[in-house]
Amino acid sequence: MPAFKRKRGGQNRVDKKAKKVKFVPNDSDVLEGDEQQKTNEVTIPPPVSMGKWTNKERVLIFSSRGINFRTRHLMQDLRTMMPHSKADTKMDRKDKLFVVNEVCEIKNCNKCLFFEAKKKQDLYMWISNSPHGPSAKFLVQNIHTLAELKMTGNCLKGSRPLLSFDPVSAIAPIFIGCSIFLFQTFSTPRYHPKSQPFVDHVFTFTIADNRIWFRNYQIIEEDASLVEIGPRFVLQLIKIFQGSFGGPTLYENPGFKSPNMHRREMRLAAAARVREKQMVKDVLKMKRTEAKEDLVTDITADVFMTPAEEKPVHIETEAPEPKMPNKKKYKAFKRQRMARR
């Protein structure tokens, strides 16, 4: 017997040609439905910032090949803090620095933070206005990243920072140019799509020992106190160029000393200390040898010596008489020895 096939719809199958019935509710039911709809209605608040994004500053942050892990983490921290930044792959060391302008043009960026590594131990940072300039070259020292510091401060990702500059930067003309570079690069544009409309941290640029010390602090709402977040690094200005990554030199730091020269001076100082120690050892050795010679030939040894009387020289012409041995001397000893036996 063939198996029974159940039709779709079963017993409650409805004819397709049948008309749909529309139920008309009473007036009281309509009023209750409207009130329930108003209570369940969710209102979406308008955005906090209703302004227009006009400052289209974009910063390209990337580096050359040969950087270490600390520099890579520092770049990642800067990209996290700066929502208006973009990233790119590492540039080959054989390429000229003018290629960076083409990379900025491809990425649609008008500012650039380029980290250049040399000898796998020296790090230089270029801040440039692409493609027409000017640009500045800094030596980066004392790098401490977010993962390394583990500070207690924290801030919202993408929030706009306050920028605080040392009062000395308003007096010294060279630091005025540096502060303009840093302000245009590190400040997040207002109403940027990736930024948050909050201000909860501050970037400080302090000048000490002719260097720029960067710090990032959290602003606590209760008492407006500052708690450090990180990262931190120190910038030493080398040169300011008229063009982007080159051109005529507008300023050169006279107090700058290259890392190669600094390491050479350290080696020379260490070698001088070793030579000085060796000279001290040689002098001590000479003093010890001279002291031994003086003890052998003492000048004061003849002070208390008295001259002896001269005796006449007696020459014997005859041989001396032989002495007879004393035999009695040994007999008594022999008798005593025999008696003991």
Side-chain angles (χ1 to χ4, degrees):
M1 181 177 180
F4 176 75
K5 292 183 180 181
R6 194 188 338 184
K7 296 181 180 180
R8 289 185 179 179
Q11 297 177 357
N12 299 329
R13 188 176 182 183
V14 182
D15 190 5
K16 293 182 180 180
K17 295 182 181 181
K19 295 181 180 180
K20 296 181 180 180
V21 181
K22 185 178 181 181
F23 296 96
V24 180
N26 299 329
D27 295 339
S28 60
D29 298 338
V30 173
L31 294 174
E32 291 177 359
D34 293 341
E35 292 177 358
Q36 187 177 3
Q37 187 176 1
K38 288 181 181 179
T39 55
N40 296 335
E41 186 177 356
V42 178
T43 58
I44 300 174
V48 179
S49 58
M50 296 294 293
K52 189 178 180 182
W53 178 33
T54 56
N55 184 11
K56 302 297 180 71
E57 296 284 347
R58 298 182 183 88
V59 182
L60 179 64
I61 302 177
F62 72 118
S63 68
S64 64
R65 296 193 179 276
I67 61 172
N68 54 7
F69 70 97
R70 197 182 298 273
T71 308
R72 187 174 67 253
H73 292 176
L74 176 63
M75 286 197 306
Q76 188 61 37
D77 295 342
L78 292 176
R79 289 167 186 163
T80 305
M81 292 189 305
M82 301 164 63
H84 62 294
S85 64
K86 290 186 177 182
D88 195 29
T89 57
K90 297 178 183 178
M91 194 181 73
D92 195 359
R93 284 181 290 185
K94 296 180 181 178
D95 296 337
K96 301 295 182 182
L97 290 177
F98 294 103
V99 181
V100 181
N101 296 325
E102 300 177 3
V103 178
C104 292
E105 185 179 357
I106 294 170
K107 290 288 183 177
N108 195 16
C109 297
N110 50 4
K111 295 285 189 299
C112 182
L113 271 178
F114 179 69
F115 291 90
E116 184 181 7
K118 290 185 178 180
K119 294 187 176 181
K120 295 186 178 180
Q121 54 184 346
D122 302 331
L123 182 65
Y124 299 92
M125 185 175 73
W126 288 82
I127 301 178
S128 173
N129 293 338
S130 180
H132 303 294
S135 59
K137 185 179 182 181
F138 297 90
L139 175 66
V140 187
Q141 298 172 327
N142 300 338
I143 301 174
H144 299 282
T145 59
L146 277 170
E148 180 186 358
L149 290 174
K150 295 182 181 178
M151 295 292 184
T152 56
N154 196 4
C155 64
L156 184 67
K157 183 178 180 180
S159 59
R160 299 180 66 235
L162 293 175
L163 268 68
S164 173
F165 292 93
D166 197 293
V168 181
S169 62
I171 301 173
I174 184 57
F175 288 115
I176 293 175
C178 294
S179 61
I180 293 173
F181 270 115
L182 298 171
F183 174 76
Q184 294 177 353
T185 306
F186 285 91
S187 61
T188 303
R190 196 178 183 186
Y191 306 126
H192 192 276
K194 293 184 180 180
S195 66
Q196 301 292 337
F198 303 102
V199 178
D200 57 355
H201 64 290
V202 55
F203 293 162
T204 61
F205 299 93
T206 310
I207 296 173
D209 195 18
N210 290 329
R211 290 172 173 83
I212 302 173
W213 302 67
F214 174 84
R215 296 290 184 271
N216 181 21
Y217 295 99
Q218 175 194 0
I219 304 173
I220 299 178
E221 296 180 1
E222 287 77 11
D223 53 353
S225 60
L226 300 179
V227 180
E228 188 172 357
I229 305 172
R232 54 167 67 169
F233 54 88
V234 181
L235 300 176
Q236 185 179 9
L237 180 64
I238 302 175
K239 286 183 180 181
I240 297 179
F241 300 95
Q242 183 176 356
S244 179
F245 296 97
T249 303
L250 300 180
Y251 175 79
E252 185 175 358
N253 188 5
F256 172 73
K257 188 182 296 181
S258 65
N260 292 332
M261 185 62 66
H262 178 70
R263 285 191 289 268
R264 181 175 179 272
E265 291 180 356
M266 294 293 289
R267 288 195 300 269
L268 291 176
R273 287 195 297 269
V274 172
R275 285 197 299 270
E276 185 178 359
K277 289 182 180 179
Q278 189 63 34
M279 288 174 63
V280 171
K281 289 182 180 179
D282 295 341
V283 170
L284 290 175
K285 190 175 180 180
M286 289 175 62
K287 287 183 178 179
R288 288 170 184 171
T289 54
E290 289 175 0
K292 289 180 180 179
E293 291 177 359
D294 292 339
L295 290 175
V296 173
T297 58
D298 192 1
I299 302 174
T300 61
D302 300 334
V303 174
F304 300 101
M305 290 182 66
T306 57
E309 295 180 358
E310 294 183 0
K311 295 180 179 180
V313 180
H314 178 67
I315 300 174
E316 295 182 357
T317 57
E318 297 179 359
E321 296 180 359
K323 294 181 179 181
M324 297 300 292
N326 191 5
K327 294 183 180 181
K328 295 181 180 180
K329 182 178 180 182
Y330 302 102
K331 285 182 181 180
F333 179 76
K334 189 175 181 179
R335 288 173 185 173
Q336 291 176 1
R337 190 171 58 186
M338 293 298 289
R340 289 177 185 174
R341 291 180 181 178

